[in-house]
Amino acid sequence: MSKRAQDIRIPATDGFELAASLYEPPDATASAPLVIVNSGTGIKRGYYGSFAAFLAEQGCPVVTYDYRGIGDSGPVKLSGFRAHMREWGEKDLAGVIEWASGRFPGRALAAVGHSAGGQIVGLADNNSKLGALLFVAAQSGYWRLWPSPSRYRLSLIWFVAVPVLTGVFGYLPGWAGTGASLPAGVAREWAEWCRREGYLVGGANSARRAGFSRLRVPILSYSLADDTYAPRVAVESLLELYTGGAKTLRHVEPAEVSAKTIGHFGFFKSRFRNTLWREAAEWLLSQGRAGQPAT
């Protein structure tokens, strides 16, 4: 972790303490937004440390954090630990937004959402405090959005593997392909969303659409051409939920950034410091200058 990172604890809105890291720039630029980094499912906050340190070098304070049940925000034993994926947005992200607006009053707020980190923004009831959103491989997880034969492999995961494994172990083991192990409630709710058309706003959860549509902020969403976890159509499907602001879809071919591969996780590798990272930082800084301070 960068020497500029300070490990802290941030309360979720229900009081649950989240492990977090704060990257404060040596010379903070007054117009630079504070950037909240929302992790992908099962990814610990340390994975984003180099990217966070880079943004801090550009003048942005940055906070990364672990959702409840993940990394340093998880218990020693996951079996029996109660958590749901919706709480990552409704309580965890909402708590980080509250903390950030209090810790840095008058500074614009922005969020970077990787994968599920872009999905949960619409679940935070205080998300209107965010002035800009930058998504990386943030997609709807509805299984039919994937091409054949991938969709059928995914259907086995959501319809069979998750219910069976969480029933046997009391949580979803990381070796099942999720990175970190997931609390059973998180994994089951995630699988339920992925089985349903509309994903997290499908069926009886359609009222959640309001949390996405009320955001009237600029969005830059990255889709990676070689990303099998987030095909372009799934990225576009999530982006459609954010109806209130100006949206830009940036579809990147690896050759554009002199890379053989990028994939679902590669964007945050330091080899993209002078390409994708710099482009993302310039966009975030431009939004900080244009946006209004958080209220």
Side-chain angles (χ1 to χ4, degrees):
M1 223 171 247
S2 164
K3 63 183 180 181
R4 286 189 295 278
Q6 175 189 0
D7 289 337
I8 57 176
R9 309 292 290 191
I10 297 176
T13 56
D14 63 347
F16 186 94
E17 283 206 343
L18 303 169
S21 297
L22 174 64
Y23 297 75
E24 293 199 73
D27 298 303
T29 303
S31 61
L34 179 139
V35 179
I36 298 169
V37 178
N38 297 334
S39 306
T41 304
I43 305 177
K44 301 174 185 179
R45 72 188 192 280
Y47 186 80
Y48 306 95
S50 295
F51 178 69
F54 174 82
L55 292 181
E57 289 172 9
Q58 315 311 308
C60 297
V62 183
V63 61
T64 61
Y65 66 104
D66 290 330
Y67 305 126
R68 65 185 65 206
I70 302 297
D72 295 329
S73 296
V76 174
K77 184 179 179 181
L78 266 184
S79 181
F81 179 76
R82 296 178 63 83
H84 294 86
M85 198 168 189
R86 62 181 179 271
E87 294 176 305
W88 290 358
E90 293 173 350
K91 299 176 181 178
D92 297 354
L93 172 57
V96 175
I97 291 172
E98 280 305 305
W99 173 87
S101 59
R103 173 68 173 76
F104 294 84
R107 185 177 290 274
L109 303 183
V112 170
H114 178 212
S115 195
Q119 301 165 12
I120 65 170
V121 174
L123 302 180
D125 61 8
N126 59 353
N127 59 16
S128 59
K129 293 189 176 186
L130 299 172
L133 303 174
L134 188 148
F135 294 153
V136 177
Q139 77 288 54
S140 167
Y142 178 48
W143 69 280
R144 288 186 181 275
L145 292 173
W146 270 250
S148 298
S150 297
R151 66 172 60 171
Y152 300 110
R153 175 181 58 82
L154 288 171
S155 71
L156 287 174
I157 293 172
W158 306 131
F159 285 88
V160 180
V162 171
V164 169
L165 290 174
T166 54
V168 170
F169 293 99
Y171 63 94
L172 186 65
W175 51 256
T178 57
S181 297
L182 301 180
V186 168
R188 288 170 183 158
E189 185 168 51
W190 185 26
E192 177 190 339
W193 291 351
C194 290
R195 294 193 296 261
R196 181 194 301 129
E197 186 174 4
Y199 191 54
L200 78 171
V201 300
N205 296 318
S206 60
R208 288 179 178 157
R209 290 181 180 272
F212 293 85
S213 60
R214 72 165 169 258
L215 277 165
R216 301 184 180 279
V217 300
I219 301 174
L220 173 60
S221 180
Y222 283 92
S223 168
L224 296 318
D226 62 339
D227 184 357
T228 58
Y229 287 82
R232 179 170 179 166
V233 65
V235 172
E236 291 173 337
S237 180
L238 178 70
L239 199 56
E240 287 173 1
L241 294 179
Y242 293 92
T243 59
K247 298 178 290 187
T248 301
L249 177 65
R250 171 86 163 91
H251 189 67
V252 182
E253 298 281 349
E256 279 185 65
V257 288
S258 303
K260 292 182 179 180
T261 61
I262 304 174
H264 193 61
F265 306 97
F267 184 101
F268 298 98
K269 298 291 187 180
S270 58
R271 65 177 178 270
F272 296 114
R273 177 185 180 93
N274 293 320
T275 53
L276 295 173
W277 288 15
R278 189 160 300 282
E279 180 182 294
E282 289 174 355
W283 187 85
L284 287 166
L285 287 166
S286 71
Q287 300 308 315
R289 288 190 291 268
Q292 298 296 317
T295 58

